[in-house]
Amino acid sequence: MSEGKKQQFNAPVGSVDNQGTQHNVAGVNEGIQTNTSDPELAATVQKIEALLPSGDETQTITTGEQMTIAGGVISQIEGEPTFKERAIRAARGGLVEGLKQNPVGAMVAGAIEGWTKEKD
């Protein structure tokens, strides 16, 4: 690019806030429900987060132990059909993305995302 000549790009750009809602995103999203403003789904994700070990705790346990804990959390969710259905709806609304910051949460999020595919 030559000196003194500047190019400017002006277009809507998508953004994602900490709740997972999307703004100004163009395109077709077939079959995706966005329930991100539903307090019930936010509470579901908080309930899942409460079942997870803290980030500090996950650093001191093996991957096998993390998998065992994730399996227990998944079993708890599966054991309550309403809890499982809300977790699936939360995943469809993009709310489980934050769980992936925790290694155990990432495993749980993967299971929940798998359930969304079973339901489709």
Side-chain angles (χ1 to χ4, degrees):
M1 191 149 97
S2 65
E3 189 79 30
K5 184 176 179 184
K6 294 183 181 180
Q7 291 183 326
Q8 189 172 11
F9 180 75
N10 294 316
V13 179
S15 65
V16 179
D17 65 17
N18 64 0
Q19 296 270 326
T21 52
Q22 296 183 353
H23 305 282
N24 301 325
V25 176
V28 178
N29 293 322
E30 294 181 26
I32 297 175
Q33 298 176 357
T34 54
N35 297 314
T36 56
S37 63
D38 187 335
E40 185 176 77
L41 298 183
T44 298
V45 173
Q46 288 176 338
K47 183 175 178 180
I48 295 168
E49 287 173 339
L51 298 172
L52 302 175
S54 72
D56 292 339
E57 291 172 321
T58 60
Q59 304 230 347
T60 61
I61 58 177
T62 67
T63 302
E65 291 168 324
Q66 292 174 4
M67 292 174 74
T68 300
I69 294 167
V73 172
I74 292 165
S75 292
Q76 280 188 267
I77 297 169
E78 285 182 311
E80 298 178 46
T82 302
F83 189 13
K84 182 178 178 181
E85 187 57 40
R86 287 180 184 154
I88 291 168
R89 287 179 30 223
R92 287 186 175 144
L95 293 175
V96 298
E97 289 301 311
L99 296 176
K100 295 177 182 178
Q101 301 301 315
N102 179 311
V104 176
M107 293 175 205
V108 173
I112 296 168
E113 289 168 347
W115 297 333
T116 66
K117 291 177 176 78
E118 290 175 10
K119 290 277 190 177
D120 292 338

